[in-house]
Amino acid sequence: MPIQSLNPATGKLLRSFEPLMPEALEAKLALAAETAKTYPSESLEQRAFWMRRLALLLENDLEELAQTMTLEMGKTLASARVEVHKCANACRYYAENAARILMRENIETEHEQSYVRWDPLGVVLAVMPWNFPLWQVFRFLAPALMAGNVGLLKHASNVPQCALAIEALVRRAGFPRGTFQTLLIEARQVETVLADERIAAVTVTGSEAAGRAIAAQAGWLIKKTVLELGGCDAFIVMPSADFDTAVANAVMARCINSGQSCIAAKRFLIHDEIYDRFEQSFVQLMESLAVGDPLKGDTDLGPLATPQIVDDLMVQVEAAKAAGGRVLTGGERMVGDGSYFEPTVIVGVPRHAAVCREETFGPVALLFRVASVSDAIEFANDTPFGLGASAWTRDVVEQKRFSEELQAGGVFLNTPVASDPRLPFGGIKHSGYGRELSAAGMREFLNAKTVVVAEVKPEAPAPLPRLTIFEEPHVPEAVLPLAEQPLLTREDTPEGTSIYGLARRTKK
């Protein structure tokens, strides 16, 4: 079945690709395995040089790359440009910090030397999603290649042109052939690739279902995995927060990437004291968003990436209404070409409703009242996910409680949840395990090898040969001519004894 690139704004076919045949796939696997034997020997300085060139290429090709993303998955052109810059920043971060992260860690023990060195695992398979077609890949690619690993990318089937563009960028930057390859394969072929003994590890960003399937197989094969899955992030606003800033950021946090982000805020937990005012302002800002052609500069929200995502979102909206929720604005798919959905605000959904604990991938916000910090924390944690949480308060006691008690991989106070190359990124519970980015992300696919060098004690001097000591030597009657007879030698010791020996005569 062909791998198709469709424009979600129009529904029109952009390009079509045939999946790799078994022979071509085998050739790519073989090349990756061979490269993994030699690439780690490249100096860190050389890898950093290539990584900096990759950052430059990203910036030089910014418009072309941004347009490819917009055409393939529908994000606005403005947000696509930001994404390209973010990838370049990640490349530079690891080029500048890899030496520090990979520095051997000396440990004090009774031995002469004890330390940990960081060795690459080899070939790492990356199964990546469509919502951030470049950034999701580069937050794996940059640390993995700087660490000496080799990458194979199985990208989402609706962004094949983005996938091929990334491979081309890596090659143009100067990285050795086979260091990073794109695999245009179908989802069912991932199982075959992962089972190959030349694959050392796998990283997955995507749905909970995809993570479960790949992690189950990797576990059976005893291969290292990192999973970054879904989220149902809470956005909490307390009375002490800067109100206008909190409302504006709430809308942005819900609608980033047209709401198609694992760390987009999904549930808005607003203190009773400010709830009514917040609801009114939030709805007004959501209604002011411009939905339309993502290539236009004044567009706030583009289409959702596929018609299926629109269908899934519509099911969740209907479920919220059936549970007792009221739609204050939006709530419908938009008529016309493309996969568009109205910015939507729903209130009054009972907390126990299933939709309150699910991930909604689109511009649909659920608003709730909370009575206290404790109430907000309890509600925020009432979800199988644990990716991120954002809390808005100036109260330091509340900030401390949120940072300690919210069950998430990251807690952001007075700022929306975001990924940053300098900070570990990942979740707990059904949001996955392991980390991307920062030193923690780089070390996920490294072997923390313990090296111990014991002290070697110097060898004791060899004992002197035992000598026989005589009072007076017995010299037998000569049987040889005098010139050939050995000469008797004598050495007196400080202890008052004499050591006798034999030596050859010196001819005169």
Side-chain angles (χ1 to χ4, degrees):
M1 183 176 179
I3 296 173
Q4 295 185 329
S5 173
L6 298 170
N7 185 343
T10 63
K12 293 181 179 179
L13 177 67
L14 298 172
R15 287 192 65 183
S16 181
F17 303 86
E18 289 298 324
L20 288 175
M21 298 297 289
E23 298 81 7
L25 179 57
E26 167 57 30
K28 285 183 175 286
L29 289 170
L31 176 59
E34 283 302 309
T35 305
K37 296 176 184 177
T38 57
Y39 178 61
S41 64
E42 298 284 357
S43 69
L44 202 56
E45 293 77 10
Q46 180 63 72
R47 287 181 234 160
F49 173 75
W50 290 326
M51 195 60 69
R52 291 189 181 96
R53 284 191 60 182
L54 183 53
L56 279 174
L57 288 172
L58 282 161
E59 291 169 342
N60 290 341
D61 294 357
L62 184 145
E63 289 301 325
E64 180 181 347
L65 293 168
Q67 187 167 69
T68 300
M69 282 190 282
T70 297
L71 291 174
E72 279 206 308
M73 60 75 52
K75 67 168 67 248
T76 64
L77 194 58
S79 65
R81 293 186 182 113
V82 171
E83 184 169 336
V84 177
H85 279 300
K86 193 170 185 177
C87 294
N89 289 339
C91 291
R92 291 195 176 94
Y93 172 83
Y94 282 104
E96 294 166 3
N97 290 277
R100 172 184 58 82
I101 297 170
L102 298 174
M103 183 182 300
R104 85 179 195 182
E105 180 184 347
N106 294 307
I107 301 171
E108 189 75 26
T109 68
E110 71 276 16
H111 299 291
E112 184 174 307
Q113 292 185 68
S114 302
Y115 60 90
V116 175
R117 58 171 289 137
W118 302 94
D119 292 344
L121 295 183
V123 183
V124 182
L125 174 64
V127 181
M128 294 288 112
W130 47 263
N131 54 337
F132 292 91
L134 261 64
W135 173 238
Q136 299 279 11
V137 177
F138 270 85
R139 70 190 195 195
F140 155 74
L141 182 159
L145 267 58
M146 275 305 302
N149 286 303
V150 166
L152 289 174
L153 170 64
K154 192 294 178 196
H155 217 327
S157 59
N158 59 324
V159 288
Q161 294 186 89
C162 291
L164 293 171
I166 296 170
E167 179 181 354
L169 285 166
V170 173
R171 288 291 293 121
R172 287 167 56 201
F175 285 93
R177 181 172 173 265
T179 305
F180 189 88
Q181 299 178 85
T182 285
L183 305 179
L184 290 184
I185 58 176
E186 297 175 295
R188 60 182 178 81
Q189 293 176 277
V190 171
E191 182 178 355
T192 301
V193 175
L194 182 55
D196 194 290
E197 62 182 8
R198 293 166 291 191
I199 301 296
V202 60
T203 179
V204 182
T205 299
S207 68
E208 185 179 349
R212 286 181 183 276
I214 294 175
Q217 184 188 1
W220 175 259
L221 296 168
I222 317 180
K223 294 186 179 183
K224 177 67 183 290
T225 55
V226 169
L227 303 182
E228 195 274 282
L229 308 177
C232 191
D233 289 11
F235 190 104
I236 303 167
V237 185
M238 303 301 290
S240 66
D242 182 320
F243 184 84
D244 292 337
T245 302
V247 174
N249 278 275
V251 173
M252 186 274 288
R254 172 60 277 194
C255 295
I256 183 173
N257 207 39
S258 299
Q260 301 168 115
S261 173
C262 53
I263 55 172
K266 312 297 195 309
R267 297 170 298 151
F268 296 83
L269 316 185
I270 316 303
H271 193 277
D272 269 329
E273 188 177 320
I274 57 171
Y275 177 86
D276 292 334
R277 181 182 169 204
F278 184 95
E279 179 187 287
Q280 182 180 12
S281 298
F282 186 84
V283 170
Q284 288 176 350
L285 286 177
M286 288 287 280
E287 290 178 337
S288 70
L289 296 174
V291 183
D293 186 348
L295 291 172
K296 293 183 177 179
D298 58 351
T299 297
D300 296 311
L301 296 181
L304 302 186
T306 68
Q308 184 61 54
I309 297 170
V310 177
D311 292 342
D312 294 342
L313 202 58
M314 198 67 240
V315 169
Q316 290 176 308
V317 169
E318 292 301 322
K321 291 162 61 177
R326 294 182 295 110
V327 177
L328 299 186
T329 187
E332 298 289 343
R333 68 179 76 221
M334 298 180 71
V335 179
D337 295 332
S339 303
Y340 291 92
F341 202 92
E342 295 177 335
T344 300
V345 180
I346 304 176
V347 301
V349 181
R351 294 187 185 185
H352 59 77
V355 71
C356 295
R357 308 174 80 243
E358 297 174 352
E359 179 175 47
T360 48
F361 230 56
V364 174
L366 304 181
L367 268 59
F368 303 90
R369 295 176 183 267
V370 292
S372 63
V373 173
S374 297
D375 188 26
I377 291 171
E378 181 182 0
F379 187 16
N381 291 339
D382 186 21
T383 172
F385 296 105
L387 190 53
S390 178
W392 297 70
T393 173
R394 291 170 171 163
D395 187 314
V396 294
V397 175
E398 292 177 346
Q399 290 177 359
K400 185 174 186 294
R401 287 200 61 188
F402 286 134
S403 65
E404 292 176 353
E405 299 179 40
L406 287 172
Q407 298 169 358
V411 175
F412 289 66
L413 300 171
N414 300 316
T415 188
V417 179
S419 56
D420 185 319
R422 299 166 295 182
L423 302 172
F425 181 84
I428 59 173
K429 301 196 286 187
H430 289 194
S431 290
Y433 51 76
R435 290 296 179 265
E436 297 177 301
L437 302 175
S438 76
M442 191 175 207
R443 290 172 176 170
E444 287 286 0
F445 296 113
L446 292 172
N447 174 22
K449 182 186 290 180
T450 297
V451 179
V452 174
V453 181
E455 182 181 1
V456 179
K457 296 181 180 179
E459 294 185 6
L464 294 172
R466 187 174 181 181
L467 299 174
T468 304
I469 301 175
F470 301 94
E471 291 292 332
E472 287 291 341
H474 171 72
V475 181
E477 186 177 340
V479 294
L480 294 172
L482 180 61
E484 298 180 17
Q485 290 183 17
L487 179 68
L488 182 67
T489 63
R490 170 178 169 173
E491 181 181 350
D492 295 327
T493 69
E495 290 79 14
T497 60
S498 299
I499 300 175
Y500 291 85
L502 297 174
R504 293 184 180 276
R505 291 178 182 273
T506 301
K507 293 183 179 181
K508 295 183 179 180

